[in-house]
Amino acid sequence: MQDTLKIGTYEFTSRLIVGTGKYPSMEIMQAAHTASGAQMITVAIRRINLDDRSGKTMLDFIDRSRFTILPNTAGCYTAKEAVLTAQLARELLETDLIKLEVIGDAQTLYPDTRETLIAAEELVKDGFTVLPYIADDPTACKHLEEVGCAAVMPLAAPIGSGLGVCNPYSIRIIKERAGVPVIVDAGVGTASDAAIAMELGVDALLMNTGIAASNDPVQMADAMRHGVIAGRLAFLSGRMERRLYANASSPMQNLIAGPKV
């Protein structure tokens, strides 16, 4: 059975999206990307030095015949900044995809919901395929879907925290109500976090620090790939019912002695 992730007009067989920040070197980043099995890589536009025409940029370490680039507006604090950054990304990378990030404050890196909504509406009208980073707020996610976003990206925990899924109930509600893909973004620290998030039924995960800041980013990328696959398969299979009391796996008939009550 082909299990395909569809975002707007784009289709992927991998449900893991990875980032490009905090790696010890570009070579390790490249190897981690390959190990992750991801098909989409997000890039912060502000990290690309457009004036440097002499040496290699981060983009030179991403094989665009294998990976779809998802530019992001990381570092923007207003809708105006985010829209301008997205337009710059479209010119530079020739893509309509944009991961929309409008941060509320530098300490928590939580998204500014009002500015995110304003930017999302404007970018959708301008023809972008918008994937907005947002709090784990079902109402905010629904508003973003209503203005035409191709997916919603609720956080699992604060960016770079590695705390895992802090509020699984909100994520479940968001998924139950969404008519677009739900991609958990930020907070995943290890492979078990990835599996838990996918078991909630979300469509994909985006992560960076959980891989890049590990002791062995390439091996962790491989672990995350397996975590995502395991969680997705478990969700599709359906979890067994939880029971208060034991339920023997072996038949209880023809026992030498009767069951002890």
Side-chain angles (χ1 to χ4, degrees):
M1 180 185 76
Q2 187 74 17
D3 185 27
T4 304
L5 170 65
K6 296 181 180 179
I7 302 172
T9 59
Y10 297 84
E11 293 190 5
F12 306 93
T13 53
S14 170
R15 292 176 180 271
L16 176 58
I17 305 167
V18 293
T20 50
K22 298 184 178 179
Y23 282 94
S25 70
M26 290 296 177
E27 289 75 16
I28 292 176
M29 180 190 78
Q30 271 186 319
H33 287 169
T34 299
S36 73
Q39 296 169 308
M40 189 188 296
I41 295 173
T42 187
V43 174
I45 292 303
R46 66 186 176 85
R47 292 185 59 217
I48 302 174
N49 186 353
L50 302 178
D51 296 326
D52 184 2
R53 305 293 181 186
S54 57
K56 284 187 173 181
T57 72
M58 180 200 307
L59 294 176
D60 294 310
F61 291 86
I62 300 173
D63 182 353
R64 297 191 65 178
S65 67
R66 294 176 57 195
F67 300 106
T68 298
I69 300 289
L70 173 62
N72 68 62
T73 63
C76 294
Y77 284 83
T78 67
K80 185 177 179 181
E81 290 174 3
V83 169
L84 182 60
T85 303
Q87 291 168 339
L88 184 62
R90 181 165 59 185
E91 291 298 316
L92 175 66
L93 300 172
E94 299 179 332
T95 178
D96 68 329
L97 282 166
I98 190 72
K99 180 196 168 192
L100 174 62
E101 284 188 41
V102 186
I103 300 302
D105 71 87
Q107 185 176 31
T108 67
L109 297 181
Y110 262 62
D112 185 317
T113 301
R114 184 185 65 172
E115 293 293 307
T116 301
L117 275 165
I118 293 170
E121 189 164 14
E122 188 168 338
L123 289 169
V124 168
K125 287 178 180 175
D126 197 18
F128 282 91
T129 299
V130 183
L131 289 70
Y133 163 67
I134 194 68
D136 54 350
D137 176 348
T139 301
C141 288
K142 202 62 190 174
H143 286 328
L144 288 164
E145 180 183 344
E146 288 169 352
V147 302
C149 291
V152 291
M153 306 182 75
L155 55 82
I159 291 173
S161 67
L163 291 172
V165 182
C166 290
N167 194 343
Y169 304 105
S170 288
I171 298 294
R172 281 181 58 186
I173 293 170
I174 290 168
K175 178 56 190 172
E176 286 176 6
R177 295 182 176 182
V180 295
V182 176
I183 303 169
V184 163
D185 181 10
V188 172
T190 190
S192 57
D193 296 337
I196 289 169
M198 293 302 296
E199 285 177 13
L200 294 173
V202 302
D203 299 278
L205 299 182
L206 189 152
M207 63 181 75
N208 180 76
T209 307
I211 295 173
S214 67
N215 292 333
D216 187 334
V218 178
Q219 189 163 266
M220 182 59 87
D222 192 26
M224 292 294 195
R225 176 171 68 91
H226 285 92
V228 169
I229 292 171
R232 178 66 178 174
L233 290 175
F235 168 73
L236 293 175
S237 301
R239 194 191 193 287
M240 66 165 283
E241 180 184 356
R242 287 183 170 87
R243 299 187 178 97
L244 181 60
Y245 293 103
N247 189 332
S249 300
S250 302
M252 296 299 287
Q253 292 81 26
N254 303 320
L255 297 175
I256 295 174
K260 193 172 184 179
V261 180

